[in-house]
């Protein structure tokens, strides 16, 4: 398998929802690899030198397209505004909180590609538990 068979990347246009102000547009890069089949890395490009990275459960983003999901630091839910379906993502950390919305279509296309790489329910086939345990024992 070459890397194009085991990875997916996409850019997603988001809006940072700012209370009492117009939403601020920004871009996030989505990365998925069969080496970590349960997770999607989202790098938010906020204008700083380095993007802010969060790791999401793939299932969380998938379910969030349809219904509210998540507890604690990450919550995702669908909405419909101005005729387009959007997904809302609320993040909370000790450094602050942020809420974003994004159109569903490009996210759904990206998620579809991830499920072509690793079908739902087959994630465990891509994880080498012995090496993961070994790696955590020696860190």
């Amino acid at each position: 398998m070459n890397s194009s068979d085991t990875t997916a990347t996409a850019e997603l246009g988001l809006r940072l929802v700012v209370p009492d102000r117009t939403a601020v547009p920004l871009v996030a890069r989505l990365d998925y690899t069969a080496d970590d089949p349960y997770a999607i890395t989202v790098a938010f490009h906020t204008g700083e030198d380095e993007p802010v990275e969060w790791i999401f459960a793939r299932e969380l983003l998938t379910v969030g397209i349809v219904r509210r999901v998540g507890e604690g630091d990450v919550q995702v839910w669908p909405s419909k505004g101005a005729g387009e379906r959007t997904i809302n993502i609320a993040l909370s950390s000790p450094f602050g909180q942020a809420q974003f919305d994004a159109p569903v279509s490009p996210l759904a296309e990206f998620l579809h590609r991830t499920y072509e790489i690793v079908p739902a329910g087959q994630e465990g086939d891509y994880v080498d538990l012995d090496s993961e345990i070994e790696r955590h024992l020696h860190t």
Side-chain angles (χ1 to χ4, degrees), residues 32-51:
Y32 178 81
T33 176
D35 294 338
D36 192 359
Y38 294 102
I40 292 173
T41 301
V42 181
F44 296 96
H45 298 275
T46 60
E48 301 293 322
D49 291 338
E50 293 294 318

Side-chain angles (χ1 to χ4, degrees), residues 3-4 6-12 28-33 40-41 106 109-110 113-114 117:
S3 66
S4 65
T6 61
T7 63
T9 300
E11 297 235 320
L12 181 63
R29 177 185 159 130
L30 309 174
D31 288 297
Y32 178 81
T33 176
I40 292 173
T41 301
E109 288 172 24
F110 172 77
R113 289 201 326 263
T114 74
I117 294 167

Side-chain angles (χ1 to χ4, degrees), residues 13-68:
L14 299 165
R15 290 180 300 252
L16 173 61
V17 179
V18 182
D20 303 325
R21 291 195 13 223
T22 307
V24 178
L26 56 103
V27 174
R29 177 185 159 130
L30 309 174
D31 288 297
Y32 178 81
T33 176
D35 294 338
D36 192 359
Y38 294 102
I40 292 173
T41 301
V42 181
F44 296 96
H45 298 275
T46 60
E48 301 293 322
D49 291 338
E50 293 294 318
V52 177
E53 286 192 354
W54 281 69
I55 297 175
F56 293 84
R58 177 172 72 162
E59 183 178 7
L60 183 79
L61 291 176
T62 303
V63 172
I65 289 175
V66 183
R67 64 177 172 81
R68 181 178 281 272

Side-chain angles (χ1 to χ4, degrees), residues 75-88:
Q75 296 184 23
V76 183
W77 68 95
S79 65
K80 187 174 171 86
E84 76 174 338
R85 290 179 56 216
T86 60
I87 188 164
N88 295 279

